[in-house]
Amino acid sequence: MTAELQIVGATKMMAAARYHAALTDGLVLAGSRSLRDGPTAGELALEGEYNRAAQPALAELYARPIVAGLGAMMGLSEAEIVRWVLDYYGEERAAVERLGEVYQGFGRRAFNLGGQMGLEELGLFGRFEATDGWVLDEIDAQTARLTDLRRGARLSTVVTTAEEIGREVNRRREEGIEAVDLLPLLSAWALGRMVIRTAMIAATESVRMTRWGMVWAFAGNGVGGVRHVCEPDVDDKCSGKICPPLCGTEYRLGGVFHPMRGIPSAGLIPLHARCRCFYEPL
């Protein structure tokens, strides 16, 4: 593959990502005033910003290894392609770090939004902002999990992206497509995956961090326990019917400094992608 073709492919992928982000900039978002009626306007507004910020970062995560190593990938097995891509991310960390910055920045914003929602749930006035070191460390630890380069990292967007690239290159290669013809096909495929995944990431990770923030706000204001509340119409909306059995389950919080430790892993919201459950104070 020529250097000119590589540059054109990367440029088209980035331009398409910017174009899609521009199209979504002006979308009007609805929203409720209470989580009991569905996601709030504040949540949806933040998710929209999160989505737009994540799109070019995830597009870059797909594009860089493809344009840098597609020729080499054509001679590798699917598992070897995954390892090659992860090694590439480890050596050329710009794309991973850019995505990590999005996760960290919006993780903190979502946590603060959730804390504010928690104060409002308690009928308290004031402004919630995470400044304590251990809280920020917890948020940063989640960022690290989402950008982990280790092959078995379950939550890592980086690992799942490498796995997707490996599967798609292997599938197209088995169809007999040569590298020169494969690049534009991969560019279109990566754009589609970016659009779908950033929407899911923004919704899921925003919910995760807002619920953490709510619980921290509850614990910091004397609340010792929470109840799992499912989103409206949960039986129709829940992926895999995971949430309904937990509706109404009560948990004793793990104290002011580490309140989430009182909630078992099986009860940590989100329970699945796009989960909209929340906790209410007892």
Side-chain angles (χ1 to χ4, degrees):
M1 189 186 307
T2 67
E4 289 82 3
L5 182 58
Q6 290 181 345
I7 293 171
V8 168
T11 302
K12 286 183 176 180
M13 291 178 74
M14 299 304 178
R18 288 194 295 270
Y19 176 70
H20 182 82
L23 288 178
T24 61
D25 274 343
L27 291 180
V28 177
L29 295 173
S32 70
R33 295 178 62 86
S34 169
L35 283 173
R36 291 167 182 79
D37 300 319
T40 67
E43 283 186 286
L44 293 179
L46 181 63
E47 287 173 21
E49 288 187 57
Y50 199 155
N51 186 14
R52 290 190 290 274
Q55 284 179 353
L58 189 59
E60 188 176 356
L61 198 69
Y62 279 105
R64 283 180 176 268
I66 289 174
V67 299
L70 183 56
M73 292 179 197
M74 298 300 286
L76 302 176
S77 68
E78 180 178 330
E80 289 171 337
I81 294 171
V82 174
R83 286 195 295 271
W84 188 97
V85 174
L86 289 175
D87 288 343
Y88 175 87
Y89 289 148
E91 295 171 1
E92 304 289 338
R93 297 193 58 86
V96 176
E97 290 173 355
R98 183 178 183 187
L99 184 62
E101 290 171 358
V102 173
Y103 280 139
Q104 183 186 57
F106 281 91
R108 293 186 179 192
R109 289 180 60 184
F111 186 93
N112 288 333
L113 174 62
Q116 197 67 44
M117 292 161 60
L119 293 181
E120 293 172 2
E121 178 74 15
L122 296 173
L124 299 176
F125 296 98
R127 182 170 181 267
F128 183 94
E129 185 170 0
T131 56
D132 294 316
W134 61 85
V135 175
L136 298 178
D137 288 344
E138 289 287 343
I139 297 172
D140 291 347
Q142 177 64 10
T143 296
R145 286 188 284 271
L146 292 169
T147 55
D148 197 332
L149 290 170
R150 292 176 295 178
R151 182 69 172 83
R154 186 174 60 87
L155 291 178
S156 175
T157 305
V158 177
V159 172
T160 53
T161 300
E163 291 173 343
E164 286 193 359
I165 292 172
R167 284 194 298 271
E168 187 66 11
V169 171
N170 186 60
R171 183 176 74 85
R172 293 294 189 173
R173 182 182 55 200
E174 289 181 347
E175 293 174 354
I177 300 175
E178 299 294 331
V180 67
D181 298 317
L182 181 52
L183 183 58
L185 294 176
L186 287 177
S187 299
W189 164 80
L191 175 61
R193 291 300 300 149
M194 177 274 293
V195 171
I196 293 170
R197 293 184 72 196
T198 52
M200 182 181 68
I201 288 167
T204 305
E205 291 306 314
S206 291
V207 165
R208 187 188 314 279
M209 301 315 298
T210 54
R211 279 35 173 187
W212 284 16
M214 291 181 74
V215 170
W216 246 280
F218 294 156
N221 287 280
V223 174
V226 294
R227 180 183 295 111
H228 187 120
V229 181
C230 290
E231 67 175 315
D233 302 321
V234 66
D235 289 323
D236 298 326
K237 297 178 180 178
C238 180
S239 173
K241 307 302 180 186
I242 300 170
C243 301
L246 293 176
C247 296
T249 302
E250 298 181 357
Y251 305 108
R252 182 59 49 186
L253 298 181
V256 174
F257 298 114
H258 300 286
M260 298 301 295
R261 291 182 181 176
I263 303 175
S265 59
L268 289 174
I269 300 170
L271 299 173
H272 56 84
R274 300 181 183 273
C275 176
R276 292 286 181 182
C277 293
F278 63 96
Y279 304 109
E280 66 178 7
L282 295 176

